[in-house]
Amino acid sequence: MRDRRGTVIGRESIVRELADTLRTTGEAARVLLLVAGAGMGKTAVLEEARRAAAGDGAAVLRLGWHDEDPEEAAETASDEPPDEDATALADAIVVTAGCGLFLADPDDCLLPLPTAHRTRLAAAARKGGVNGLAAFSDALATAARRLPFALLVDGVERMPEHIASILELLLRIFRPHGVPVVLAGRPRPPADHGQARLTAAADRVLELPQLRPTDAAALVDLHITRRFGHAAEPTLADAVARALGTLAGNPRAVLSVLDTLNAEDLLELDGRMCLTRAEKLLRLTTTDAFLLGLGRPHSLPYPPILNAAIVTAHVLNHADVHIDDAFRMTPSAGARVLEHALDRLITDRVLTADPRGWLSFAVPALAAALRTLPFQRDVQGNSARYVTRLAGRLGPEATGRGYPRLADRVAASGPLVDDDLAIPLLLAAAREEARADWPRSARAYAAALRRLAPRDERTPGVLQEASELSLRHGDHDGLLALAEPLLAHADTPRAEHTEEGKEPTGLHGIGVAWTWAALHEHRVLHADDHRALCRGRTDARLPSAAELAALGGLYGIGPLTPRPSTAAGPTPHSDPGHRRTPLPSPAELRLVAASVGSHAELGRARRNLPPDAIDDQALDRLRHAAAYADLTGALAAVLGDRYTAAPDCVAVQYQGMVRDYLAGNWDAALTTARRVEVRCRTHSTAGDPHLPRVLAAEIHCARGDLTRAQAWLDLVPDALDHPLAARARLAFRYWSGRKEEASERAWRDARQARKNGQLAGTERLLLRILSLSARQHRSPLTQRALEELETLHDEAATPMTYETLLIARGIAHHDTDSALTAHRSIQRREDVHLSVVSGMCLTRIADDPRAWLTEVMCNAQLLGLGRPFRTAVTHAAQLRGIPLPRLRQARQKLTEPDIILVRMVSNGATNRQIAAELACSTKTVEQRLTRLFQHTSARSRSELAAAWLNGTLGNET
């Protein structure tokens, strides 16, 4: 809860109630019991409440006991490391009572109390028995009338029963009049009579809940910022929450997982720390794994229940485990012990079993921590022996069909299971599970292919089955994993019946499927790749791998390659078989390729398809996707319901990024760019995501952040000459002050794009050249760009080229009607950034510039446009002689750092206190508060706090 611990997060209302209780003395004084589980930050909350009360002048004394069991105290150690106040407690002035309780005054609150009162309090405390307890209570009440104070008692769950009985008497029978008391402890079983009596003595019991997801995310952000100097990417908090499962709202568990991360596990992008460690490897520290996950500390030798948990964690790492399998695979001598251990783990909610009997850890990070511990069991050997015995009795194929879930165990057993047994078992299991559980089926096929020899006559058929399964479900990882066995088989000498230079029927389709998957991961395809994978016989229903590779170059995935000339094959009219496969037919593929080129080329490609294959709306979607090199959008427009792709592949994520870019959700688009970049650096099958990098650089250029734009562009090779890349490079060079170089290189890029047949997207490059030329009053260049746009529209004739041509006419010729027509079309298509460009044009040339300027400012605020826009809009306003409108800030969602700052302001913290808590300067706090006031339209700290407390500030947070 404190970032060694920072500010208390997500506990404001509870801290406020505890502080109010400590401050409320006299007739309204009451006893409050705070209950919180291990790691919930109880001690930090109490300390924050004590400080808040002390800050308002309240005196708070600590009530403890003498015979606390040190071992038990170690087991239930404080949720937070000892701080200065905890150390001061040991050195405080203590008034000892014969009943075993003591008072500690770490803040010297009793010093103002007259000596006679302190002497009476000490004397009363030394008396024993019930009379002494009554005298002690009376002395407390008398002292409180002179100097109001409160009592704080922490860790009551560790209190011995006889001490708890004495404290209960003090609170129920001899309650000191006017002295508020706050107790705190962990939940105890109903059989604990001592805490039950204390609960009955309390006027109110307050339970400390788990953190809300937004509060846990704020804790992650604060901790990462302090350790690494940059804020956390929101997906990092999501990954931690998934890894913690039922402990996702436990502050100590959150910090425990973060403490296991180091610099190698994180990547800084756009000033955000992104997680690169695999999510399944996120773990609790060993100490916290025992305390939070298992309920108590453990040491070697581990008890049977912990050994069972460790073994289960190892097995679940590579296989699904059914509760019945756990007993079957255990030698009979240990079955009873294992049954008891598993039953206990499920009862204690360490393990969960779904209605079908599948086991999983309630806290995945606990399983990851357990896998780091030593254990003596031969898990693989037990699995191998059980599978061998079962297959010997039933036969390998029958075992695979009857027990398909054993396939994962066979795969994990490696050489311990003989290939002659493993291969037929794996293949039978794969075929059995192909419909019911395709991921397990894919794993079984992959395991079988690792064991099959390249010359084995079963290999081609297994490759075919595996590729069809992965292709049907959009499993790009599974398809890419087929490259090694496919190449190994292709390099073996041909069987006697195989024609020289030809592959058996079907292997070409596997190579095409591999190329298809590589495109979706934005992997650059070289000529050697598709020649090696797809040599020999072709299938007329499928495109060649060379055609797919060429498509990648047209859509910005790698360099451009010459489009292969393909002999005409059966058309879809006579061969409708292509309708049954997710892969495009050659005619469909040529339509996707033609969408980046001329209108005539697109028309010819469309005529090769049946009349009902694609309608005009789908064709518009295709051309729109081609303008942003959105391969997924283009394929989906052509293939319709046949199209399937993995949701986390680069191409699908880029499609979402384009959608957010057009809709004006630029922060979401940048989040996607960072997520894709992390995937490409940590995922073996992912390629280089140049297009997301280019679009991220484009956003940063528009926002005026040239440093981050350059960081993204540095990752893009100069060889990538797609119009999108040229457009981002033009903006970066121009706003970096290299205007002449920017213009020259942009014209060269535009000519190269035309030469390459990449007309889609070139219109926006030419429009930017024209806009920047008009800004510099370079009329010849402006006119030249307009003529190029007219020529491009004559050739491409897409809605996008028409819109840009109309805007260009508005800029170059002050043609209001053209600009207005373009603006309306752009709004229907929902391209926010281009609507800013058309709106700026109308601001300069329309009869009523004020309305257009206001609309432009609203859209620019949504996008977060920076210096380039401010320069242009200021010039336009001066040109028309109108003031810039003062807009009320949009009610956008508060960021996590904003939430932390608002909460601290609401708690009454000064700028100096906030700076100390956040480890920054007071000047930084002032700047952040100024931005926050602008963001929320609040005019003062009190107005900001009131809006937060009544729920009207950032309701969506």
Side-chain angles (χ1 to χ4, degrees), residues 461-718:
V462 174
L463 283 167
Q464 185 70 26
E465 292 175 24
S467 68
E468 289 176 354
L469 177 73
S470 294
L471 189 60
R472 188 163 59 248
H473 294 282
D475 177 20
H476 303 311
D477 288 346
L479 288 170
L480 292 171
L482 298 179
E484 184 176 347
L486 179 59
L487 287 172
H489 177 72
D491 289 338
T492 58
R494 301 293 180 267
E496 292 181 1
H497 67 278
T498 304
E499 202 174 324
E500 182 69 25
K502 299 274 184 114
E503 287 292 339
T505 302
L507 290 191
H508 166 74
I510 302 171
V512 172
W514 183 91
T515 309
W516 171 264
L519 279 179
H520 280 79
E521 290 294 349
H522 282 208
R523 288 179 63 164
V524 177
L525 300 175
H526 302 287
D528 292 342
D529 291 332
H530 52 75
R531 274 200 299 267
L533 288 167
C534 304
R535 59 193 178 192
R537 183 178 306 173
T538 61
D539 186 338
R541 293 176 302 174
L542 300 176
S544 71
E547 285 181 296
L548 279 173
L551 181 67
L554 291 173
Y555 276 77
I557 304 171
L560 282 165
T561 57
R563 302 191 204 182
S565 58
T566 305
T571 67
H573 299 75
S574 60
D575 182 12
H578 73 284
R579 302 268 188 174
R580 295 192 296 268
T581 173
L583 291 173
S585 69
E588 289 170 330
L589 186 64
R590 289 169 198 141
L591 181 67
V592 176
S595 65
V596 306
S598 69
H599 181 70
E601 184 181 359
L602 186 66
R604 286 193 299 269
R606 188 181 186 185
R607 284 192 293 273
N608 288 329
L609 290 170
D612 62 342
I614 184 168
D615 58 24
D616 290 341
Q617 290 183 342
L619 197 65
D620 283 344
R621 292 197 301 271
L622 170 62
R623 292 190 291 187
H624 186 264
Y628 284 90
D630 174 12
L631 181 64
T632 294
L635 292 169
V638 173
L639 299 179
D641 294 339
R642 286 164 47 211
Y643 180 70
T644 58
D648 59 345
C649 73
V650 174
V652 171
Q653 293 197 69
Y654 177 66
Q655 181 190 33
M657 184 180 180
V658 170
R659 186 167 51 246
D660 287 330
Y661 173 83
L662 294 173
N665 300 323
W666 281 11
D667 289 333
L670 289 174
T671 297
T672 301
R674 293 190 289 268
R675 185 166 58 244
V676 170
E677 187 67 26
V678 169
R679 177 179 174 82
C680 106
R681 300 195 189 192
T682 59
H683 204 278
S684 60
T685 62
D688 290 320
H690 296 318
L691 294 175
R693 293 166 177 169
V694 164
L695 204 53
E698 168 79 9
I699 291 173
H700 285 305
C701 282
R703 288 180 165 181
D705 192 341
L706 298 182
T707 301
R708 289 180 177 169
Q710 182 177 17
W712 284 107
L713 285 176
D714 286 344
L715 300 174
V716 180
D718 293 337

Side-chain angles (χ1 to χ4, degrees), residues 162-176:
H162 71 282
I163 300 294
S165 299
I166 293 172
L167 182 58
E168 183 226 352
L169 284 175
L170 180 64
L171 296 178
R172 295 188 67 181
I173 308 301
F174 306 107
R175 179 182 294 191

